[in-house]
Amino acid sequence: MDLKEEFDKVSKKYDSQRRELIPCFDDFYKSGINFLEFKYDDPEVLDLGAGTGLFSSFVLNKFPKSSLTLIDLSCEMLQVAKERFKNYSNVEYIVDDYLKHEFNEKFDIVVSSLSIHHLSDCKKSKLYKKVHGLINKGGTFLNADQSLSQSADIEIRFNKYWKECIENSSLESNEIESTYKRMSYDNPATLKDQFKWFKDAGFSNFDLLYKYYNFTVMYGKS
C-alpha cells in the first residue's frame, strides 16, 4: 500500500484524528493563519496536499471571500473536502501530484499542512522554488509541518513524548497502528535546511512563527 492508499483509507476519520495526533492542534493550525495579511478580502489561495481541506477551512474563516484551489493525490480525501465546502462556489479541486502539476495561474497565498515532510529533501527544495514562482509579488507561503531536530537525542525525546500523548489518547489501537504505519513515509527536514530552501527559492522574508516540539509553522513572503 502506498501513501495515497494510506490516506484514502483514513479519509473519513482524518479530521477527528487530528486533535488526538497533534497535541498543539489549535495553535498549530491557527498561529500561521492569524499572522496572514492581505490588502483585499478575496485572495487567491492554493493548498498543497490539501487533504480534507482542514487547513483551507481556517483560511476561509479569515478570508470568507477567498478563492480556494485544493490539490491532493488522494481523491477520497478531496471528497471529504468537497462535502466540507459544499456551500462555497469558489473552490477548485485537483487530484494530482503538486510537484508535477502545471498550474495555469498565480496565487496570493500558498498554504500546506503536514504534507511536504513526505518529500525527499531534493524534492522539498524543488517545491520551495516552484511555490515562489506561483506566488504573486508580495504574496505569502505558509507551511505548517513536522520538522526534524538538529539533535538526534532531542529528536528521540520529541518522538517519545508524542507517542506517550497518542497512546494515552482516545484513539483506538488500530488507529494508532495505522498512524505508525503512515510514519514510514515521513522524511522531515531540519529548520536550518528549510530556511536555506526558502532563501534559495527567492523569498525575501521568512521566519518560524510557531514551534511545539517537532510541529512547526514556517512563513515566507515573496
Side-chain angles (χ1 to χ4, degrees):
M1 189 176 293
D2 62 15
L3 184 62
K4 173 188 174 299
E5 292 171 324
E6 287 287 350
F7 279 103
D8 281 346
K9 186 173 68 173
V10 78
S11 60
K12 300 298 188 295
K13 293 185 176 181
Y14 184 84
D15 284 3
S16 63
Q17 289 180 359
R18 291 301 91 188
R19 283 194 176 274
E20 303 293 340
L21 294 173
I22 304 173
C24 54
F25 180 92
D26 288 311
D27 287 339
F28 180 66
Y29 280 102
K30 293 179 180 178
S31 59
I33 300 299
N34 292 339
F35 196 74
L36 282 179
E37 291 182 346
F38 192 66
K39 56 185 175 182
Y40 306 114
D41 61 357
D42 59 346
E44 296 282 343
V45 181
L46 171 64
D47 189 344
L48 301 172
T52 63
L54 180 59
F55 204 25
S56 281
S57 70
F58 286 100
V59 178
L60 198 57
N61 285 338
K62 181 160 186 175
F63 302 108
K65 296 182 180 178
S66 60
S67 297
L68 303 177
T69 298
L70 279 62
I71 182 168
D72 198 277
L73 285 173
S74 170
C75 180
E76 295 300 319
M77 294 282 273
L78 288 180
Q79 282 299 124
V80 178
K82 288 179 181 179
E83 179 63 23
R84 165 178 264 131
F85 299 125
K86 63 183 179 182
N87 295 322
Y88 295 91
S89 57
N90 293 331
V91 186
E92 179 184 2
Y93 305 92
I94 303 171
V95 181
D96 202 359
D97 181 336
Y98 52 66
L99 257 177
K100 298 177 180 178
H101 187 79
E102 294 292 334
F103 294 93
N104 297 318
E105 59 182 307
K106 289 199 171 189
F107 302 89
D108 303 303
I109 298 170
V110 176
V111 299
S112 184
S113 64
L114 298 172
S115 176
I116 296 173
H117 72 277
H118 293 126
L119 303 177
S120 68
D121 285 358
C122 181
K123 288 183 177 179
K124 290 190 194 82
S125 176
K126 185 183 296 185
L127 177 66
Y128 277 50
K129 291 176 182 177
K130 180 172 184 173
V131 168
H132 186 267
L134 288 172
I135 295 178
N136 289 319
K137 185 174 177 58
T140 298
F141 175 36
L142 200 61
N143 182 22
D145 209 350
Q146 291 172 263
S147 296
L148 188 68
S149 173
Q150 293 288 148
S151 162
D153 176 63
I154 292 174
E155 183 67 20
I156 290 171
R157 294 172 66 185
F158 281 174
N159 286 324
K160 181 176 182 291
Y161 166 77
W162 177 75
K163 287 182 178 181
E164 288 173 352
C165 286
I166 68 166
E167 289 178 8
N168 286 289
S169 71
S170 62
L171 292 172
E172 300 291 336
S173 59
N174 64 311
E175 293 177 300
I176 295 174
E177 182 181 349
S178 177
T179 298
Y180 288 158
K181 187 174 181 180
R182 291 197 302 276
M183 286 175 65
S184 65
Y185 296 96
D186 290 357
N187 184 39
T190 65
L191 289 169
K192 180 179 179 181
D193 284 340
Q194 293 184 80
F195 286 136
K196 180 181 185 302
W197 299 330
F198 267 100
K199 183 176 180 180
D200 291 346
F203 286 96
S204 57
N205 293 294
F206 48 88
D207 208 339
L208 178 69
L209 297 184
Y210 177 80
K211 187 177 191 301
Y212 183 88
Y213 293 84
N214 55 355
F215 291 96
T216 57
V217 180
M218 292 159 281
Y219 166 93
K221 189 82 170 176
S222 176

